[in-house]
Amino acid sequence: MGRVEGKVALITGAARGQGRTHALRLAEEGADIIAIDLCSQLDTVPYALASEADLEETAKQVEDRDRRILTRQADVRDLGQLQAAVADGVSELGHLDIVCGNAGILSSAPAWELSEESWQEMIDVNLTGVWKTIRATVPQMIEQGTGGSIILTSSIFGLQGAPNVVHYVAAKHGVTGMMRALAIELAPHGIRVNSVHPTTVDTAMVQNPMTYELLLGRSGASRAEAEAEVKAMNALPVPWVEAVDISNAVLYLASDEARYVTGTTHIVDAGSLSPYKIPHA
């Protein structure tokens, strides 16, 4: 597995879920961490978002791995907050080499019933927030002149459609397009840009009643019922992957083992995008 010894990685949405496991995997392989999360609730999100205690737990677990970490509560919709977090992180840790644009939310409704607030908040967080993360970090990486790696969290729904999440699909397709444009723009600076595209992941974004209803098409489903039925999404006989499976892909893309990998869609989907699947017994 790739090493990132001596690197500094900035991760948004780092308080729990994929963001936390990204921080831990990169720390295990030698990186120091700038961990950013909102740590408060958003009106249009129907499940509990991460808390200050979650961010503190991420910090503790990184420190348990003998790496340094700076945490900041910041909103990816606020460029000034992100720029301040970058400045603090570079001041304390010395440089910035890896950026994981991972912060994201999920909500659900048919396109013609979706509220303006739900559409706007989704685009603001899942798409514009990724651009603002880039805007806040790339000038520092260019100024350093040492290259780097940027990994943007998209989704299988950044490569295909899905019902009842038009705003999410639009945002994640936008992230995929952003990655492709950035890979061209930043190549002369030695900065690689790639995206990761997970299927359903065993995190709080998936393990909640709203997502069970979205995936199964009915309300009141339990985790056990979802586990049995959601397997049909994937070619491999699993209902969801673990967050660390995505983090292992992020680690590879961040490391020198991927030194000539840029502009790619790195899919971790248990075969979900395959058009032909053998039904699971």
Side-chain angles (χ1 to χ4, degrees):
M1 185 61 70
R3 292 286 291 169
V4 286
E5 189 76 41
K7 308 281 190 186
V8 174
L10 180 144
I11 303 165
T12 62
R16 69 178 188 194
Q18 292 182 54
R20 178 185 288 172
T21 60
H22 295 351
L24 300 185
R25 278 304 283 128
L26 293 170
E28 286 166 359
E29 299 300 333
D32 294 327
I33 306 296
I34 303 167
I36 295 172
D37 206 292
L38 178 63
C39 297
S40 66
Q41 197 62 33
L42 296 175
D43 291 341
T44 67
V45 179
Y47 57 90
L49 294 176
S51 67
E52 293 181 49
D54 291 322
L55 188 57
E56 291 169 3
E57 179 61 24
T58 296
K60 177 182 180 300
Q61 292 193 37
V62 168
E63 290 166 350
D64 286 346
R65 287 157 172 79
D66 295 322
R67 303 310 307 172
R68 296 180 295 167
I69 181 169
L70 178 137
T71 62
R72 286 290 182 270
Q73 287 181 243
D75 189 335
V76 294
R77 299 170 297 177
D78 188 318
L79 179 58
Q81 290 183 17
L82 290 172
Q83 290 172 322
V86 171
D88 290 348
V90 171
S91 176
E92 183 163 327
L93 302 176
H95 44 94
L96 178 61
D97 312 287
I98 301 161
V99 174
C100 299
N102 171 77
I105 58 173
L106 180 64
S107 58
S108 172
W112 56 92
E113 296 177 4
L114 192 70
S115 70
E116 287 186 79
E117 292 78 13
S118 290
W119 171 273
Q120 196 60 59
E121 197 153 76
M122 178 67 68
I123 299 302
D124 288 348
V125 174
N126 285 24
L127 181 58
T128 306
V130 176
W131 172 76
K132 289 189 178 184
T133 300
I134 295 300
R135 180 66 182 82
T137 55
V138 164
Q140 173 64 34
M141 298 174 81
I142 291 175
E143 182 180 345
Q144 289 171 185
T146 53
S149 177
I150 296 171
I151 304 104
L152 306 182
T153 301
S154 183
S155 166
I156 57 170
F157 300 128
L159 298 170
Q160 69 173 15
N164 300 317
V165 285
V166 64
H167 52 338
Y168 184 84
V169 171
K172 291 302 187 180
H173 271 74
V175 169
T176 306
M178 189 187 311
M179 175 276 295
R180 289 171 170 153
L182 288 167
I184 297 166
E185 285 192 44
L186 294 177
H189 301 283
I191 300 170
R192 300 179 294 104
V193 189
N194 297 279
S195 53
V196 290
H197 298 259
T199 184
T200 49
V201 184
D202 189 5
T203 65
M205 181 183 282
V206 168
Q207 304 300 352
N208 65 78
M210 182 274 295
T211 307
Y212 297 157
E213 181 174 353
L214 172 65
L215 294 171
L216 275 63
R218 68 176 192 273
S219 61
S222 67
R223 177 185 170 109
E225 290 172 321
E227 184 170 353
E229 295 192 37
V230 174
K231 283 183 183 179
M233 285 183 58
N234 301 326
L236 295 175
V238 296
W240 34 68
V241 299
E242 301 299 323
V244 71
D245 297 310
I246 316 307
S247 300
N248 286 335
V250 166
L251 173 61
Y252 164 70
L253 293 169
S255 76
D256 288 342
E257 291 184 7
R259 61 182 178 165
Y260 298 131
V261 178
T262 194
T264 71
T265 53
H266 202 88
I267 299 166
V268 186
D269 73 338
S272 180
L273 290 175
S274 174
Y276 301 105
K277 304 181 183 73
I278 297 172
H280 305 309

